[in-house]
Amino acid sequence: MKSLTNGIVAATVFCATMSIAAAEDQVVVIEDLSRSELRKEIVLIEQELYQMFNDNNSAVEFEIKCEVLMRTGTHIPVQACEPKFMRDARAQNAADSQFGIQTLIQDSELRQYYAGDYEKLTLAMEGLAKKSGNFSQLVMILNKLNARLAQLER
């Protein structure tokens, strides 16, 4: 989902003095955030972004839900956000596999199979970004936070 969000708005050039307004009317300078602080900000912005999208979206299959997961082999919680059509596809795939109807399909193959739905979801998000300055601003902030995190993790 991260790449979907990054693809919604054209990539922005990262500059060292970028800042975002915090909930307490403080200015947070992105370059001053540690990796863990960046991850926390990304989680908060993703939650706000997808909640705003869900509130303005009428297509139930595009509703995006975020969950905190523990990846296999680690105790580090990670937020994963995905649309309803993908959650449903994964559940159906698991059920079909369990009952021997078909073999378990990898997530990458499922995403490829549902590429058309992801494209429609992207168009819906782009439409909201055109209508709502707040939504497009959240996308831009999320892109900047992700770019800074990637820069620190090199």
Side-chain angles (χ1 to χ4, degrees), residues 32-84:
D32 293 344
L33 297 175
S34 67
R35 283 187 282 189
S36 66
E37 290 169 327
L38 280 166
R39 286 186 191 101
K40 287 177 188 173
E41 286 295 324
I42 289 169
V43 166
L44 293 173
I45 297 294
E46 281 181 341
Q47 289 171 346
E48 190 173 344
L49 177 85
Y50 296 134
Q51 184 60 54
M52 184 180 292
F53 176 75
N54 290 341
D55 290 346
N56 289 281
N57 171 46
S58 60
V60 175
E61 67 273 10
F62 292 155
E63 182 179 309
I64 298 172
K65 183 179 176 186
C66 297
E67 297 178 295
V68 176
L69 308 170
M70 298 272 206
R71 301 280 183 212
T72 304
T74 181
H75 295 289
I76 301 170
V78 182
Q79 177 170 272
C81 304
E82 62 184 0
K84 183 179 183 323

Side-chain angles (χ1 to χ4, degrees), residues 7-22:
I8 294 172
V9 174
T12 56
V13 177
F14 180 82
C15 67
T17 58
M18 283 191 267
S19 61
I20 57 176

